[in-house]
Amino acid sequence: MHTTVGIIGGGPSGLLLARLLRRAGIDSVVLERRDRAYVEQRQRAGILEQATVDVLRAAGAGERLDREGMPHDGIELRFGGRGHRVDFPELTGGRRVWVYAQTEVVKDLIALHLDDGAPLLFEAEVHAIEGVDTDRPVIRYTHEGREQTLTCDYVVGCDGFHGVARNAVPESAKRTYERTYPYSWLGILADAPPVFEELIYAHSERGFALASMRSESVSRLYLQVPNGTDPADWSDERIWDELDARLALDANPAWRLKRGTVTAKSVLPMRSHVTEPMRYGRLFLAGDAAHIVPPTGAKGLNLAAADVIVLARAFAHLKDTGSAELLEEYSATCLRRVWRAEHFSYFMTTTLHTDPEQSPFETQLQLSQLDRIATSRHAAAELAENYTGLPFDAAL
């Protein structure tokens, strides 16, 4: 089998790229190692930037998002026993974000893909990528018990940090930058209405907490915990009590943490990672295959979407003009946005979390920065602009 673009990974970035390529008249094949049920249930991000929503709509994947997604016009910062709301539209000229889980984005894109009859192979285990430094790369994979090959003009790795694509780039041809944080998130899904109509980010002496949601009846909540924490060591009651203590909502009688049945519980390590460049020969890396951000800034899925938007434009430019100029610029173009998002995610993480080794001096610096956001329009606007996503063309 031959295709113009072989896409490894059927998550949101791989599926969105395939959709954008199809609309541009460019053929592709998506190879996903997991089955469809697993991919559609894989819990990840839940916040979409304005630019991500705009491209999903343009790709024909916005109908259910517009019907069921929850637009948010701000976030609540809680620190030092008080709260402050950051108003996104007022500070950014009208931009906002949407709560719409990655699981739902993936379901929408898979349905569109299959309706079009475009090649999407689940349970296709890629075990080698060959010839990326030639004009005819080859992907070797196993599907339905048979070893098969896919020849391509180009290969795009959307298969994550541990995937085949990133590891296909020789160590001598890449640079890596990484930071591991001294804490993790204990996350739960609960059948309980959200505390508030927007997200609450809380800094406290006991550690960070985040109150989010997946719908009007399902809450997504997080607690900062030590690295290596076993979720089984945290009973449901202990989690709810700790959320109560860290969110400190007693001062506002309209807000109460609504307890319900915990349906999922997991621990998420926190780290930042960038691989440069994001291209080797005819192999392109996108999403987590090229970069990882801590989830505090809600950038992961949005960065992946930005990568494939740039890549789809470059492939369309090649098809229309015969020029590979935009493909040559892909890595440099994306990395400008990647490093901005890395910085913002680092800022949000280190400002809101309590490092086990930090001094009282460092805690006061955190509180001073949060107070600056609460009292300065310029500081609040900087947070709002980065959180909602810098205007796409300006940031690229």
Side-chain angles (χ1 to χ4, degrees), residues 59-332:
E63 180 180 349
R64 196 161 67 93
L65 188 161
D66 285 330
R67 186 173 66 249
E68 300 177 14
M70 295 180 287
H72 281 199
D73 288 339
I75 57 172
E76 172 84 4
L77 296 177
R78 295 196 62 77
F79 59 96
R82 62 191 174 107
H84 173 75
R85 181 174 181 270
V86 179
D87 187 316
F88 293 157
E90 196 269 333
L91 293 164
T92 65
R95 295 204 305 278
R96 52 178 23 176
V97 297
W98 274 255
V99 173
Y100 192 66
Q102 173 176 311
T103 52
E104 307 314 301
V105 173
V106 167
K107 289 174 187 175
D108 295 341
L109 290 170
I110 287 176
L112 287 170
H113 206 83
L114 296 179
D115 284 347
D116 283 347
L120 168 56
L121 279 62
F122 292 104
E123 298 180 87
E125 181 82 30
V126 175
H127 46 81
I129 308 170
E130 301 171 355
V132 295
D133 53 352
T134 72
D135 61 0
R136 190 57 63 93
V138 176
I139 302 173
R140 300 192 182 278
Y141 65 100
T142 302
H143 184 243
E144 296 180 343
R146 294 192 304 117
E147 289 194 6
Q148 303 187 47
T149 60
L150 173 66
T151 60
C152 324
D153 295 337
Y154 299 92
V155 179
V156 180
C158 300
D159 53 342
F161 180 80
H162 298 290
V164 174
R166 194 181 77 87
N167 292 318
V169 180
E171 291 298 322
S172 60
K174 63 187 177 187
R175 301 178 300 277
T176 58
Y177 305 87
E178 188 167 24
R179 178 188 175 95
T180 300
Y181 297 85
Y183 34 72
S184 300
W185 277 8
L186 171 62
I188 66 167
L189 277 173
D191 290 333
V195 176
F196 181 52
E197 60 186 13
E198 295 171 345
L199 275 64
I200 302 174
Y201 287 78
H203 173 285
S204 82
E205 294 180 354
R206 303 174 69 96
F208 169 77
L210 170 61
S212 181
M213 69 283 291
R214 285 293 179 265
S215 70
E216 294 180 356
S217 60
V218 176
S219 290
R220 182 69 162 156
L221 301 136
Y222 299 94
L223 287 170
Q224 175 188 338
V225 294
N227 288 338
T229 292
D230 184 347
D233 293 338
W234 282 74
S235 68
D236 294 358
E237 183 178 9
R238 182 186 178 192
I239 291 172
W240 289 118
D241 288 346
E242 192 64 24
L243 285 165
D244 263 329
R246 296 190 193 184
L247 292 171
L249 300 174
D250 293 342
N252 191 329
W255 298 0
R256 286 289 182 272
L257 188 63
K258 303 168 182 68
R259 302 190 178 200
T261 301
V262 175
T263 59
K265 190 186 304 183
S266 61
V267 169
L268 173 67
M270 308 279 283
R271 63 175 173 162
S272 303
H273 183 100
V274 179
T275 295
E276 293 188 3
M278 293 169 58
R279 176 188 182 178
Y280 176 69
R282 293 202 171 201
L283 169 62
F284 298 84
L285 303 179
D288 285 359
H291 42 72
I292 294 173
V293 290
T296 326
K299 293 294 130 193
L301 173 57
N302 296 292
L303 266 187
D307 290 346
V308 299
I309 292 167
V310 173
L311 200 48
R313 288 177 178 177
F315 280 126
H317 183 72
L318 174 64
K319 174 178 175 288
D320 294 341
T321 69
S323 170
E325 178 184 5
L326 297 186
L327 285 176
E328 296 289 343
E329 296 173 353
Y330 166 73
S331 181

Side-chain angles (χ1 to χ4, degrees), residues 323-360:
S323 170
E325 178 184 5
L326 297 186
L327 285 176
E328 296 289 343
E329 296 173 353
Y330 166 73
S331 181
T333 299
C334 289
L335 283 169
R336 288 199 294 275
R337 192 182 192 99
V338 167
W339 280 113
R340 178 87 298 277
E342 290 283 354
H343 184 272
F344 176 67
S345 300
Y346 168 84
F347 165 77
M348 291 287 285
T349 302
T350 56
T351 300
L352 289 163
H353 290 72
T354 304
D355 189 318
E357 303 297 324
Q358 79 182 38
S359 66

